[in-house]
Amino acid sequence: MSAVRYLNAIQSIVGTIRTQETRSIKAAGRIMAGSILAGGRVYMFGSGHSVIPVLDIFPRYGSFVGFFPLYDPRLMWSNVIGPGGARELLWLERQEGYAKVFLQSYPLENRDVMLVFSHGGLNAAPIEVALEAKARGLKIVTVSSHANARIASRQHSSGKVLSEIADVAIDNCVPPEDSLVDVGQLEKVAAGSTVAAVTIAMSLVAETAAQLARKGKVPPTFVSPNVHGVRKGHMDEVYRAFTEFYHSRPLGTGKKRRGGR
């Protein structure tokens, strides 16, 4: 049964992430927790389907203030064809120069972290977000297919793939073609990178929280109202904390903050 074959394949990928990438996930968690403890932000970026783990990290139950998602509707399809469609998105995310303009709206500081998701790790948008953030002194964490980077032709004028820009590069352990199940045609079906990326994303949330908890410094955290003992108004308090977090900085020039790393 093809459904079982997919479940077996994705279980194998998650197992490989556990055995091969735990050290990198822990290292990224330490960096991210350190940023939050210093009053920094863990910015998160992805384009195309790689926006899914960004959407899933924050806001949702089990996540907390300190994560700062970067959303660009032009890099997230809202349609299949026509305005907001996949073809337009795929064209834009490959154009050099756009991501740097996009980041001008955000006051990046060198105490922050930039977490970038991209299965292929080849398109201009994720590469340039990482390059611009690194140029501003941020630590960079990436999640991509290292197997894909090894065999694919490099497309960006820098000559780099996403993982080469990272301070911590996490492999999603998914094969280059992404789809996992052979149903008797040239094209395989049922992609694996979304499950892998979200698995890594939640692992990073858990590891970052554990590091913060050791210091007694876990920020306001979203929690389901189904959890016994949650006080009325808790979620409003989390949204209020994020609103203050969001508006806590003037839009500067991206210069290094005094006392930062």
Side-chain angles (χ1 to χ4, degrees), residues 12-100:
S12 176
I13 287 169
V14 172
T16 303
I17 291 169
R18 180 176 180 177
T19 57
Q20 295 185 9
E21 299 304 311
T22 296
R23 181 178 295 180
S24 294
I25 290 169
K26 287 183 176 179
R30 287 193 295 271
I31 290 171
M32 292 157 66
S35 174
I36 293 170
L37 284 169
R41 298 172 172 180
V42 178
Y43 287 103
M44 304 171 296
F45 176 82
S47 62
H49 78 271
S50 291
V51 77
I52 293 173
V54 176
L55 289 164
D56 210 49
I57 289 178
F58 191 90
R60 67 158 304 148
Y61 297 154
S63 192
F64 45 88
V65 176
F67 292 107
F68 196 115
L70 297 174
Y71 300 137
D72 185 343
R74 290 154 293 200
L75 294 173
M76 304 159 56
W77 60 70
S78 55
N79 205 348
V80 179
I81 57 174
R87 284 186 291 200
E88 290 87 339
L89 154 66
L90 291 170
W91 179 84
L92 182 58
E93 71 177 350
R94 293 168 182 159
Q95 303 310 302
E96 295 192 22
Y98 176 73
K100 186 171 183 176

Side-chain angles (χ1 to χ4, degrees), residues 177-218:
E177 63 268 31
D178 200 350
S179 297
L180 302 175
V181 179
D182 184 349
V183 292
Q185 61 182 18
L186 175 64
E187 305 91 349
K188 289 184 178 181
V189 301
S193 64
T194 301
V195 175
V198 171
T199 298
I200 292 167
M202 292 300 104
S203 299
L204 289 169
V205 170
E207 186 61 32
T208 302
Q211 296 285 341
L212 292 168
R214 292 189 185 103
K215 305 282 188 180
K217 298 287 187 179
V218 180

Side-chain angles (χ1 to χ4, degrees), residues 81-191:
I81 57 174
R87 284 186 291 200
E88 290 87 339
L89 154 66
L90 291 170
W91 179 84
L92 182 58
E93 71 177 350
R94 293 168 182 159
Q95 303 310 302
E96 295 192 22
Y98 176 73
K100 186 171 183 176
V101 175
F102 164 68
L103 285 179
Q104 288 176 357
S105 298
Y106 300 95
L108 308 184
E109 295 184 357
N110 67 327
R111 55 178 166 168
D112 300 331
V113 174
M114 183 67 73
L115 170 60
V116 184
F117 295 90
S118 171
H119 171 68
L122 301 170
N123 286 333
I127 287 174
E128 293 188 353
V129 164
L131 284 172
E132 178 65 12
K134 196 173 190 71
R136 296 201 206 178
L138 280 70
K139 293 290 187 181
I140 311 299
V141 177
T142 63
V143 180
S144 61
S145 169
H146 294 184
N148 185 76
R150 283 193 293 270
I151 69 166
S153 59
R154 297 176 180 233
Q155 300 171 5
H156 194 261
S157 61
S158 68
K160 294 184 179 295
V161 296
L162 182 63
S163 59
E164 293 173 345
I165 306 165
D167 295 283
V168 179
I170 301 170
D171 188 355
N172 70 14
C173 301
V174 176
E177 63 268 31
D178 200 350
S179 297
L180 302 175
V181 179
D182 184 349
V183 292
Q185 61 182 18
L186 175 64
E187 305 91 349
K188 289 184 178 181
V189 301

